[in-house]
Amino acid sequence: MMKARVTVTLKNGVLDPQGQAIEGSLKSLGFSGVGAVRQGKVFDLALDGSDEAAARTALTNMCEKLLANTVIENYAIEISN
């Protein structure tokens, strides 16, 4: 069994109102020196099998079809045994 983590973030240049709201809230809570907050998603998955190449192909397909909106989001895949 393998474990995978998919991190999905907005592409540069895409407005991030949630990130801006978080940044404003952090500042109002007294956390100074915080800027350019970007919000994203993390998916942790357990995968059957031990073929890392096949797992990466399957994960890429998952991202392209469901986990990420590739028009406005990037994704990164990490796989561990």
Side-chain angles (χ1 to χ4, degrees), residues 20-68:
Q20 291 173 338
I22 293 166
E23 182 177 332
S25 295
L26 289 170
K27 288 180 180 176
S28 71
L29 290 170
F31 295 99
S32 61
V34 177
V37 175
R38 304 285 285 173
Q39 179 267 338
K41 303 176 274 192
V42 174
F43 299 94
D44 289 324
L45 301 96
L47 304 168
D48 290 336
S50 59
D51 183 344
E52 187 172 328
R56 187 167 300 279
T57 298
L59 288 162
T60 298
N61 287 332
M62 291 176 206
C63 290
E64 296 286 331
K65 292 180 180 180
L66 177 67
L67 300 180

Side-chain angles (χ1 to χ4, degrees), residues 10 14-23 38:
L10 290 171
V14 175
L15 293 178
D16 186 358
Q18 229 176 341
Q20 291 173 338
I22 293 166
E23 182 177 332
R38 304 285 285 173

